[in-house]
Amino acid sequence: MTTKGFTVSHARDSKFESGLREFFDYRDLGIKAATDGKVVAHVIRAAKGAEFSGQPHLHKTDFQMVYVLKGWVDFEYEGQPGVTRLEAGSCVFQPPSIRHREVGHSEDIEMLEIVMPGDFATEEVKSVAP
């Protein structure tokens, strides 16, 4: 039995910080440090007063999952028709390097995102279509 990597994260002891997208704030859940960078997990919420700009992009990942805790968010995904709306309780697995773009979100959006590896590259692309 081992306790290496054991971690607990409480909202009361954590704070949101700016991150990958300027219009979101991120609360690190301590998973990246606990897994030596193999996995990152954070809660994402809308940054108050930030201007939204959803640019087409992709992430160089092995695994990416988003679970909506509160509010809603709209995405366009490569190979999927129209807009995909995720609401509280919705979950999406974004395959590695799928092109996507956020179209909009509610002011109260909160999402749990889990990504492998913990350090992943993001590339801006011209469009969601290949």
Side-chain angles (χ1 to χ4, degrees), residues 47-86:
K48 295 194 186 321
E51 187 175 327
F52 169 75
S53 174
Q55 302 300 314
H57 62 280
L58 59 84
H59 305 292
K60 298 289 188 169
T61 62
D62 295 326
F63 175 88
Q64 183 179 18
M65 182 208 85
V66 176
Y67 181 85
V68 179
L69 302 165
K70 185 177 177 184
W72 59 266
V73 60
D74 287 340
F75 284 101
E76 290 180 337
Y77 288 106
E78 174 183 9
Q80 302 303 308
V83 172
T84 299
R85 173 159 284 195
L86 304 173

Side-chain angles (χ1 to χ4, degrees), residues 2 17-18 24 26 32 64 70 117 128 130:
T2 182
E17 298 178 348
S18 60
F24 285 139
Y26 300 77
K32 187 175 178 183
Q64 183 179 18
K70 185 177 177 184
V128 172

